[in-house]
Amino acid sequence: MRVAIIGAGVVGASAAWHLARAGAEPVLIDAGLEGRATAAGAGIVAPWAGSSAPDPDWHRRGSAAGRDYPAMIASLAEDGETDTGYARCGALIVNENPAPLERVARDLLSRRKAAPEMGEISVLDPTQARAAFPPLHPALRAVHIAGGARVDGRRLVAALRRAAMRHGAREMDGTASLIRHASVVGVQVGGEKVAADAVVVAAGAWSAALLAQVGVALPVAPQRGQIVHLQADVETDAWPSILPLPVSGHYLVAFEHGRVVAGATRETGSGFDYRLTAGGQAQVLADALRVAPGLAPMGVIEWRVGFRPLAADLMPLLGKVPAAPGLFVATGLGGTGLTLGPLTGRLLAESILGQPLTLDLSPYEPLRKLPAL
Ligand SMILES: Cc1cc2nc3c(=O)[nH]c(=O)nc-3n(C[C@H](O)[C@H](O)[C@H](O)COP(=O)(O)OP(=O)(O)OC[C@H]3O[C@@H](n4cnc5c(N)ncnc54)[C@H](O)[C@@H]3O)c2cc1C
């Protein structure tokens, strides 16, 4: 079965890998657009810590993604791919006051039976919290989630793509368009028509523009995020991610070789305006230094800008497009796509191949009625 996948972010690359491993023939097409979310994403994978998406389904899909991650990393390693930046470094939910943290710890513990992947939950005093993340403000206490992890979106996608190719996937560079042959949707890249039995739009925030080419209105829009990478002069590989309470767009995540990432703005209504702004940079740095003043002497390595693909109800848009046989959509992962993306790619592959689904997709019907964005 030949499957054309438009978009080689975390969703498209994961789908290509799963399809190729199952013996299908994915063709992964990407235009390398500025603002690709996967290339800008911070990389926190701690779905049990809550989300800015206040929807009842969050814990179901978040837990499934948290459960799936270590298995995916292990399967990639079997395929010879170990350079993903993934590490189970833990996560700290931080606040000055013990009471809200104790509530969080109780809530996590009540859900741990159903999601044992979250690991040990412990409450840390300010000294213990700073021992785990030295730049932290000395007044902050924490709840430690041992199962919290981080991943480097760029390295993960590169690993998925290499592994998919080894299983027989093909790649094409270029801008794809959707075309109609009678009722069936096809793909064109430059002057070339790509023959396929199924077509997947996994084009992130650009997915709505593609669907519009075949007369389908997809309710997804870009939300800009500006994010900074800092350089510490100590090893930071084992530092946990920092998630301030109450949950906001602000967080910190550390990688190997002293790289500490502080994010991020959440600019709904930004359109595809691929710019850093004075206000965005000021906000990201102020938030970071308020929570972790010890970051102040660190050098700035780079800023990144990405467009999160956001649906109005903050839920994924995932499944078949009823009006167009053979056409599938997978987007809308918003600010949690590095966490949900690998599972989303797998669900997509299962759906295309007619296999039993790991998770019921009905809440994510891509053309469900949504308020305007
Ligand atoms: C600043 C920031 C911080 C984030 N932090 C986190 C985090 O800590 N944890 C987490 O879980 N998530 C995080 N996210 C969210 C996550 O990065 C995204 O949800 C996820 O990467 C979306 O992946 P995607 O594959 O849907 O889209 P993308 O990665 O945007 O990929 C879409 C691809 O489609 C291609 N494309 C588009 N149109 C066409 C076309 N016509 N033809 C060919 N190719 C096309 C583009 O070039 C692009 O490569 C963050 C996002 C941002 C911006």
Side-chain angles (χ1 to χ4, degrees), residues 52-221:
S52 55
D55 69 76
D57 181 70
W58 167 250
H59 289 307
R60 187 182 77 105
R61 64 180 188 275
S63 299
R67 217 167 21 249
D68 223 44
Y69 234 97
M72 173 199 61
I73 294 292
S75 302
L76 268 177
E78 281 167 21
D79 276 354
E81 297 297 341
T82 51
D83 182 18
T84 58
Y86 176 83
R88 208 167 166 268
C89 53
L92 296 185
I93 300 179
V94 299
N95 189 277
E96 282 179 8
N97 301 314
L101 291 173
E102 277 155 20
R103 273 198 298 278
V104 166
R106 274 198 302 279
D107 175 51
L108 284 165
L109 286 168
S110 73
R111 288 188 279 115
R112 195 174 59 167
K113 201 162 172 210
E117 311 72 33
M118 74 172 74
E120 286 302 310
I121 303 299
S122 38
V123 178
L124 307 186
D125 66 26
T127 310
Q128 293 167 316
R130 263 185 116 191
F133 193 95
L136 205 60
H137 192 287
L140 289 172
R141 303 162 176 276
V143 172
H144 181 248
I145 307 174
R150 58 125 211 268
V151 73
D152 181 329
R154 295 184 180 192
R155 284 153 70 192
L156 173 65
V157 161
L160 287 166
R161 290 175 70 162
R162 283 191 301 268
M165 303 264 276
R166 232 175 275 127
H167 286 286
R170 209 182 118 207
E171 293 196 331
M172 289 176 81
D173 294 332
T175 301
S177 337
L178 291 181
I179 44 173
R180 280 221 188 241
H181 310 291
S183 66
V184 180
V185 168
V187 177
Q188 190 158 317
V189 182
E192 192 182 337
K193 285 201 175 109
V194 183
D197 305 295
V199 173
V200 172
V201 175
W206 296 270
S207 299
L210 275 152
L211 269 290
Q213 294 167 355
V214 289
V216 175
L218 187 74
V220 66

Side-chain angles (χ1 to χ4, degrees), residues 6-12 29-45 174-177 202-207 210 213 223-227 251 253 263-265 304-309 330-340:
I6 305 175
V10 64
V11 174
I29 307 155
D30 201 280
L33 299 177
E34 283 183 333
R36 307 184 296 282
T38 303
I44 297 174
V45 181
T175 301
S177 337
W206 296 270
S207 299
L210 275 152
Q213 294 167 355
Q223 182 197 60
R224 184 170 64 189
Q226 306 180 46
I227 188 164
Y251 44 73
V253 51
T265 60
R304 294 183 184 177
V305 176
F307 300 112
R308 303 177 188 91
T331 187
L333 301 188
T336 51
L338 291 178
T339 304
L340 297 172

